[in-house]
């Protein structure tokens, strides 16, 4: 069965600093992986997704993630944090359960950005 | 193209009252989902539907019922609300590919308080 672990429920960075949010997955088949962002009082928006094309995936707002099969990781990075990046971030993997495809979400990482 | 919409946005119920949350999507997606989001617990799947007229239980289905009479609509019902159902509810839709990719599109959420 597929699963996702996000390391660190809270991450705090200074404005301009590197953002690194960690995600490890477990999957018995080649995975489809996603990062979603949730801004305060809003729904989830797709940041980026890995669908077995390039291992380095670029998303919106200068975020990117690298798929590393050997490490079963899909960490999210951004070179320079902005105040507007403060949000909750969810990593997810597509998986089959009960015969149907579902998304399995991690518990989320809340990113705080300080001036 | 409105994407996924949810009504209402906010609701306060007394214990024992009933209500229905409505989700609508205009993307012709086959799959629809209801999640609840609680602090520190990420997103948990309540029920889902893989097509008009079909529904299935997710991770936390107790106390909820659903119906999918039309492809574009997915209703979530609470027959007798309990304080434990205080949460933010999100609807999502998707069109999974044969290969297993399952990018989901989310609504803005419904904040429900049961007193």
């Amino acid at each position: 069965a597929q699963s996702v672990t996000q390391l660190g429920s809270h991450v705090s960075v200074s404005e301009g600093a590197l953002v690194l949010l960690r995600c490890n997955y477990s999957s018995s088949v080649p995975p489809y992986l996603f990062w979603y962002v949730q801004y305060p009082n809003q729904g989830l928006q797709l940041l980026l997704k890995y669908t077995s094309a390039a291992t380095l995936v670029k998303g919106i707002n200068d975020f990117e993630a690298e798929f590393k099969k050997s490490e079963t990781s899909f960490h999210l990075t951004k070179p320079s944090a902005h105040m507007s990046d403060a949000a909750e971030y969810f990593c997810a993997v597509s998986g089959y359960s009960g015969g149907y495809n579902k998304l399995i979400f991690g518990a989320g990482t809340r990113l705080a950005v300080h001036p | 193209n409105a994407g996924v919409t949810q009504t209402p946005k906010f609701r306060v119920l007394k214990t024992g009252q009933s209500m229905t949350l409505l989700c609508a999507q205009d993307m012709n997606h086959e799959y629809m989902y209801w999640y609840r989001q609680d602090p520190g617990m990420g997103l948990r799947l309540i029920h889902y539907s893989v097509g008009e007229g079909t529904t299935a239980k997710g991770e936390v289905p107790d106390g909820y019922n659903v119906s999918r009479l039309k492809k574009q609509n997915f209703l979530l019902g609470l027959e007798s609300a309990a304080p434990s159902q205080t949460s933010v509810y999100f609807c999502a839709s998707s069109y999974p590919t044969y290969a297993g990719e399952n990018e989901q599109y989310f609504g803005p959420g419904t904040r429900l308080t049961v007193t």
Side-chain angles (χ1 to χ4, degrees):
Chain A
Q2 286 85 354
S3 66
V4 173
T5 302
Q6 291 184 240
L7 299 174
S9 58
H10 290 81
V11 170
S12 181
V13 300
S14 299
E15 194 173 19
L18 171 72
V19 175
L20 171 61
L21 304 182
R22 299 177 190 275
C23 172
N24 288 90
Y25 70 90
S26 169
S27 177
S28 57
V29 297
Y32 291 95
L33 294 159
F34 304 81
W35 274 101
Y36 283 85
V37 60
Q38 184 182 28
Y39 297 106
N41 299 314
Q42 294 187 27
L44 278 70
Q45 303 174 32
L46 183 70
L47 262 183
L48 50 81
K49 61 182 178 182
Y50 168 74
T51 58
S52 76
T55 57
L56 183 63
V57 181
K58 294 188 183 299
I60 61 172
N61 299 334
D62 295 328
F63 281 95
E64 62 182 36
E66 186 172 9
F67 172 70
K68 291 188 176 180
K69 184 178 178 181
S70 61
E71 298 178 10
T72 61
S73 69
F74 190 55
H75 301 332
L76 182 70
T77 60
K78 179 172 179 175
S80 176
H82 292 173
M83 298 295 288
S84 60
D85 294 327
E88 189 153 23
Y89 293 79
F90 293 93
C91 183
V93 62
S94 281
Y96 280 91
S97 173
Y100 297 105
N101 188 289
K102 303 186 188 73
L103 275 188
I104 294 97
F105 286 90
T109 298
R110 187 169 297 277
L111 176 67
V113 182
H114 301 288
Chain B
N1 189 340
V4 180
T5 58
Q6 292 181 234
T7 52
K9 288 185 169 48
F10 303 93
R11 186 72 186 268
V12 179
L13 286 179
K14 294 188 190 305
T15 297
Q17 287 184 320
S18 63
M19 78 163 294
T20 300
L21 282 66
L22 171 63
C23 175
Q25 53 96 2
D26 61 3
M27 296 173 282
N28 202 33
H29 285 167
E30 289 295 327
Y31 284 35
M32 296 186 75
Y33 313 81
W34 276 107
Y35 294 91
R36 60 178 289 173
Q37 184 180 32
D38 302 291
M41 304 191 76
L43 286 159
R44 293 184 291 170
L45 183 64
I46 305 171
H47 285 280
Y48 63 100
S49 168
V50 299
E52 183 179 318
T54 70
T55 63
K57 294 180 180 179
E59 196 182 339
V60 289
D62 294 342
Y64 305 95
N65 56 74
V66 288
S67 65
R68 183 113 180 257
L69 299 179
K70 293 183 179 181
K71 186 177 183 179
Q72 63 268 33
N73 295 338
F74 195 29
L75 279 62
L76 177 71
L78 287 73
E79 289 186 350
S80 180
S84 61
Q85 294 177 305
T86 293
S87 187
V88 182
Y89 292 86
F90 288 99
C91 177
S93 70
S94 70
Y95 197 95
T97 66
Y98 180 77
E101 182 188 342
N102 189 1
E103 178 183 340
Q104 293 184 13
Y105 295 76
F106 284 81
T110 295
R111 190 173 294 274
L112 175 66
T113 302
V114 183
T115 61

